[in-house]
mmCIF file of all heavy atoms in Angstrom:
data_model
loop_
_atom_site.group_PDB
_atom_site.id
_atom_site.type_symbol
_atom_site.label_atom_id
_atom_site.label_comp_id
_atom_site.label_asym_id
_atom_site.label_seq_id
_atom_site.Cartn_x
_atom_site.Cartn_y
_atom_site.Cartn_z
ATOM 1 N N TYR A 259 113.699 -50.904 2.800
ATOM 2 C CA TYR A 259 112.502 -50.322 2.202
ATOM 3 C C TYR A 259 112.795 -49.284 1.118
ATOM 4 O O TYR A 259 112.062 -49.208 0.122
ATOM 5 C CB TYR A 259 111.631 -49.680 3.289
ATOM 6 C CG TYR A 259 110.996 -50.679 4.213
ATOM 7 C CD1 TYR A 259 111.635 -51.082 5.378
ATOM 8 C CD2 TYR A 259 109.761 -51.243 3.915
ATOM 9 C CE1 TYR A 259 111.059 -52.015 6.233
ATOM 10 C CE2 TYR A 259 109.170 -52.181 4.758
ATOM 11 C CZ TYR A 259 109.832 -52.567 5.918
ATOM 12 O OH TYR A 259 109.263 -53.492 6.746
ATOM 13 N N ILE A 260 113.823 -48.485 1.307
ATOM 14 C CA ILE A 260 114.063 -47.393 0.343
ATOM 15 C C ILE A 260 115.486 -47.395 -0.216
ATOM 16 O O ILE A 260 115.895 -46.441 -0.873
ATOM 17 C CB ILE A 260 113.772 -46.014 0.991
ATOM 18 C CG1 ILE A 260 114.612 -45.834 2.259
ATOM 19 C CG2 ILE A 260 112.294 -45.848 1.273
ATOM 20 C CD1 ILE A 260 114.482 -44.448 2.876
ATOM 21 N N GLY A 261 116.234 -48.447 0.031
ATOM 22 C CA GLY A 261 117.614 -48.503 -0.448
ATOM 23 C C GLY A 261 117.742 -48.441 -1.953
ATOM 24 O O GLY A 261 118.755 -47.987 -2.487
ATOM 25 N N HIS A 262 116.693 -48.871 -2.661
ATOM 26 C CA HIS A 262 116.740 -48.899 -4.131
ATOM 27 C C HIS A 262 116.339 -47.564 -4.759
ATOM 28 O O HIS A 262 116.464 -47.381 -5.963
ATOM 29 C CB HIS A 262 115.818 -50.004 -4.662
ATOM 30 C CG HIS A 262 114.381 -49.810 -4.290
ATOM 31 N ND1 HIS A 262 113.916 -50.036 -3.001
ATOM 32 C CD2 HIS A 262 113.300 -49.402 -5.020
ATOM 33 C CE1 HIS A 262 112.612 -49.783 -2.969
ATOM 34 N NE2 HIS A 262 112.220 -49.403 -4.170
ATOM 35 N N TYR A 263 115.864 -46.613 -3.954
ATOM 36 C CA TYR A 263 115.496 -45.299 -4.479
ATOM 37 C C TYR A 263 116.759 -44.514 -4.846
ATOM 38 O O TYR A 263 117.749 -44.548 -4.129
ATOM 39 C CB TYR A 263 114.732 -44.481 -3.433
ATOM 40 C CG TYR A 263 113.283 -44.861 -3.241
ATOM 41 C CD1 TYR A 263 112.903 -46.168 -2.930
ATOM 42 C CD2 TYR A 263 112.284 -43.908 -3.334
ATOM 43 C CE1 TYR A 263 111.574 -46.506 -2.729
ATOM 44 C CE2 TYR A 263 110.945 -44.238 -3.128
ATOM 45 C CZ TYR A 263 110.607 -45.549 -2.833
ATOM 46 O OH TYR A 263 109.294 -45.892 -2.636
ATOM 47 N N LYS A 264 116.697 -43.763 -5.934
ATOM 48 C CA LYS A 264 117.805 -42.875 -6.271
ATOM 49 C C LYS A 264 117.765 -41.681 -5.329
ATOM 50 O O LYS A 264 116.698 -41.136 -5.052
ATOM 51 C CB LYS A 264 117.705 -42.410 -7.722
ATOM 52 C CG LYS A 264 117.983 -43.521 -8.726
ATOM 53 C CD LYS A 264 117.988 -42.989 -10.151
ATOM 54 C CE LYS A 264 118.299 -44.121 -11.141
ATOM 55 N NZ LYS A 264 118.339 -43.626 -12.536
ATOM 56 N N ILE A 265 118.931 -41.276 -4.840
ATOM 57 C CA ILE A 265 118.957 -40.181 -3.868
ATOM 58 C C ILE A 265 118.445 -38.880 -4.486
ATOM 59 O O ILE A 265 117.922 -38.016 -3.783
ATOM 60 C CB ILE A 265 120.369 -39.976 -3.287
ATOM 61 C CG1 ILE A 265 121.397 -39.710 -4.388
ATOM 62 C CG2 ILE A 265 120.779 -41.148 -2.436
ATOM 63 C CD1 ILE A 265 122.768 -39.339 -3.849
ATOM 64 N N SER A 266 118.582 -38.753 -5.792
ATOM 65 C CA SER A 266 118.114 -37.519 -6.460
ATOM 66 C C SER A 266 116.602 -37.410 -6.490
ATOM 67 O O SER A 266 116.052 -36.323 -6.648
ATOM 68 C CB SER A 266 118.670 -37.463 -7.884
ATOM 69 O OG SER A 266 118.270 -38.608 -8.624
ATOM 70 N N SER A 267 115.897 -38.552 -6.324
ATOM 71 C CA SER A 267 114.432 -38.524 -6.385
ATOM 72 C C SER A 267 113.776 -38.914 -5.057
ATOM 73 O O SER A 267 112.552 -38.965 -4.967
ATOM 74 C CB SER A 267 113.934 -39.479 -7.484
ATOM 75 O OG SER A 267 114.358 -40.805 -7.222
ATOM 76 N N LEU A 268 114.589 -39.178 -4.040
ATOM 77 C CA LEU A 268 114.067 -39.592 -2.736
ATOM 78 C C LEU A 268 113.349 -38.424 -2.059
ATOM 79 O O LEU A 268 113.880 -37.316 -1.978
ATOM 80 C CB LEU A 268 115.223 -40.080 -1.855
ATOM 81 C CG LEU A 268 114.857 -40.717 -0.516
ATOM 82 C CD1 LEU A 268 114.019 -41.969 -0.720
ATOM 83 C CD2 LEU A 268 116.132 -41.044 0.260
ATOM 84 N N LYS A 269 112.146 -38.679 -1.556
ATOM 85 C CA LYS A 269 111.347 -37.627 -0.925
ATOM 86 C C LYS A 269 111.125 -37.931 0.558
ATOM 87 O O LYS A 269 111.234 -39.076 1.000
ATOM 88 C CB LYS A 269 109.994 -37.487 -1.631
ATOM 89 C CG LYS A 269 110.092 -36.959 -3.052
ATOM 90 C CD LYS A 269 108.725 -36.855 -3.690
ATOM 91 C CE LYS A 269 108.803 -36.196 -5.066
ATOM 92 N NZ LYS A 269 109.697 -36.904 -5.989
ATOM 93 N N ASN A 270 110.769 -36.882 1.283
ATOM 94 C CA ASN A 270 110.517 -37.005 2.710
ATOM 95 C C ASN A 270 109.442 -38.041 3.001
ATOM 96 O O ASN A 270 109.558 -38.850 3.929
ATOM 97 C CB ASN A 270 110.107 -35.635 3.280
ATOM 98 C CG ASN A 270 109.775 -35.701 4.756
ATOM 99 O OD1 ASN A 270 108.624 -35.897 5.134
ATOM 100 N ND2 ASN A 270 110.782 -35.546 5.601
ATOM 101 N N ILE A 271 108.379 -38.049 2.185
ATOM 102 C CA ILE A 271 107.273 -38.976 2.400
ATOM 103 C C ILE A 271 107.721 -40.430 2.229
ATOM 104 O O ILE A 271 107.213 -41.337 2.894
ATOM 105 C CB ILE A 271 106.083 -38.663 1.444
ATOM 106 C CG1 ILE A 271 104.861 -39.491 1.814
ATOM 107 C CG2 ILE A 271 106.485 -38.879 -0.002
ATOM 108 C CD1 ILE A 271 104.287 -39.174 3.176
ATOM 109 N N ASP A 272 108.699 -40.674 1.348
ATOM 110 C CA ASP A 272 109.218 -42.029 1.148
ATOM 111 C C ASP A 272 109.881 -42.540 2.430
ATOM 112 O O ASP A 272 109.703 -43.708 2.822
ATOM 113 C CB ASP A 272 110.247 -42.046 0.011
ATOM 114 C CG ASP A 272 109.656 -41.599 -1.322
ATOM 115 O OD1 ASP A 272 108.483 -41.933 -1.580
ATOM 116 O OD2 ASP A 272 110.367 -40.923 -2.086
ATOM 117 N N ILE A 273 110.631 -41.643 3.072
ATOM 118 C CA ILE A 273 111.338 -42.025 4.295
ATOM 119 C C ILE A 273 110.352 -42.243 5.435
ATOM 120 O O ILE A 273 110.456 -43.221 6.184
ATOM 121 C CB ILE A 273 112.370 -40.945 4.676
ATOM 122 C CG1 ILE A 273 113.374 -40.765 3.531
ATOM 123 C CG2 ILE A 273 113.104 -41.314 5.961
ATOM 124 C CD1 ILE A 273 114.300 -39.574 3.686
ATOM 125 N N GLN A 274 109.365 -41.351 5.559
ATOM 126 C CA GLN A 274 108.373 -41.493 6.621
ATOM 127 C C GLN A 274 107.553 -42.768 6.449
ATOM 128 O O GLN A 274 107.254 -43.467 7.419
ATOM 129 C CB GLN A 274 107.450 -40.278 6.653
ATOM 130 C CG GLN A 274 106.451 -40.293 7.822
ATOM 131 C CD GLN A 274 107.129 -40.248 9.173
ATOM 132 O OE1 GLN A 274 107.809 -39.285 9.492
ATOM 133 N NE2 GLN A 274 106.958 -41.304 9.967
ATOM 134 N N CYS A 275 107.173 -43.091 5.203
ATOM 135 C CA CYS A 275 106.428 -44.330 4.942
ATOM 136 C C CYS A 275 107.249 -45.559 5.325
ATOM 137 O O CYS A 275 106.715 -46.538 5.863
ATOM 138 C CB CYS A 275 106.010 -44.406 3.475
ATOM 139 S SG CYS A 275 104.654 -43.274 3.042
#
Side-chain angles (χ1 to χ4, degrees):
Y259 291 90
I260 56 174
H262 61 286
Y263 283 55
K264 290 185 179 181
I265 57 173
S266 58
S267 60
L268 187 62
K269 293 180 174 58
N270 178 268
I271 189 65
D272 299 323
I273 301 170
Q274 185 63 63
C275 287

